[in-house]
Amino acid sequence: MEDNSRTKILLSATKLFALKGFDGVSIREICREADVNISMISYYFGGKNELYQAIVDEQSEKINKYTKTFMDINQDISKLSKKEQISLLNLLLDKLIDYFYSDISNDFLSFMLKEQHNPHAKIKGTPVHFIRKLVGAIFDKDYNDREIIFKTNFIISMVNSPRILPSFTLKLLGQDDFIQEDIKIIKDNLKLYINTLLKEAGID
């Protein structure tokens, strides 16, 4: 029962934050949506800031747990060959697309898009950071290098843009959701982009 109440609060808060933003939602409104006593927020989270962070942390934990099922994100990538680094990047991106199009709710997606600049959210180590390190290693640059930050950003945008811009994808296709054919096209286009980057850099 307790876990159920906590889950209901997280789901309701995600939905409301996505609709109205952090400042537009009250604790009382979240509890009314979740159908729980207002004291439950203090019991589980402490306050609204902590509840907000819990939403981010839970999704980060889920994706980190998923990533650990197929690779070790703590491995020393500098010890891998260039071919192994590229293979690892392709594997991670392939799996990330599968996850992004099946295991992330629309409410959480809207929540993250609305709150990109919110100082309340502190996103902990996710596969995106590992991707940036991989990209840096492949192109022999520090992962904090400006070029690497932008390359990683463009790569990630190719992963998620069809879903975060449904007017340019689903509505044009006349669909309510993505099908496997769509996922394959996204993956193929991403591989083409990465291969182009590698070719331009003279990396085999």
Side-chain angles (χ1 to χ4, degrees):
M1 180 64 179
E2 288 191 352
D3 285 343
N4 185 49
S5 294
R6 184 179 186 279
T7 299
K8 284 166 65 178
I9 292 170
L10 286 169
L11 291 174
S12 296
T14 301
K15 176 183 175 181
L16 290 172
F17 286 145
L19 287 172
K20 302 181 179 182
F22 179 84
D23 294 325
V25 179
S26 69
I27 290 292
R28 191 173 298 279
E29 189 176 2
I30 293 168
C31 291
R32 186 165 57 247
E33 176 75 23
D35 193 26
V36 299
N37 190 286
I38 197 167
S39 64
M40 291 290 98
I41 299 288
S42 296
Y43 177 74
Y44 287 115
F45 307 102
K48 190 163 83 162
N49 284 351
E50 292 83 0
L51 170 57
Y52 186 98
Q53 187 60 43
I55 295 170
V56 177
D57 289 347
E58 182 167 277
Q59 187 60 56
S60 294
E61 179 65 28
K62 284 180 180 178
I63 194 168
N64 284 336
K65 187 175 179 181
Y66 167 74
T67 305
K68 288 175 183 176
T69 64
F70 61 87
M71 63 176 289
D72 177 12
I73 59 175
N74 296 313
Q75 63 185 294
D76 185 354
I77 56 177
S78 66
K79 294 181 178 178
L80 301 175
S81 68
K82 195 74 71 180
K83 186 176 181 179
E84 288 172 329
Q85 291 170 349
I86 294 169
S87 178
L88 191 58
L89 177 62
N90 284 323
L91 170 66
L92 181 51
L93 291 172
D94 191 80
K95 295 286 190 179
L96 196 59
I97 289 171
D98 288 335
Y99 184 87
F100 193 80
Y101 287 84
S102 62
D103 293 316
I104 294 181
S105 71
N106 287 330
D107 282 342
F108 182 79
L109 186 62
S110 298
F111 166 85
M112 289 305 295
L113 288 173
K114 184 180 285 290
E115 304 299 323
Q116 282 289 306
H117 303 289
N118 195 315
H120 298 289
K122 298 178 179 62
I123 301 177
K124 298 176 181 177
T126 66
V128 174
H129 298 136
F130 188 76
I131 291 171
R132 186 153 55 97
K133 288 183 179 180
L134 265 175
V135 173
I138 290 167
F139 291 94
D140 297 315
K141 292 180 180 288
D142 186 90
Y143 74 101
N144 286 318
D145 182 89
R146 183 182 301 271
E147 181 183 335
I148 297 306
I149 289 172
F150 278 104
K151 271 186 167 64
T152 305
N153 186 52
F154 290 139
I155 288 170
I156 297 303
S157 69
M158 292 192 74
V159 170
N160 61 33
S161 60
R163 184 158 182 210
I164 65 176
L165 297 171
S167 292
F168 295 96
T169 49
L170 292 178
K171 287 186 179 178
L172 292 177
L173 292 167
Q175 299 172 193
D176 294 324
D177 206 349
F178 294 90
I179 61 175
Q180 283 305 308
E181 183 181 354
D182 304 329
I183 305 300
K184 183 180 183 304
I185 292 171
I186 293 166
K187 289 181 177 181
D188 288 345
N189 276 278
L190 182 54
K191 287 174 184 174
L192 179 62
Y193 174 67
I194 291 172
N195 287 336
T196 301
L197 291 178
L198 295 172
K199 186 177 181 180
E200 287 180 349
I203 299 171
D204 295 324

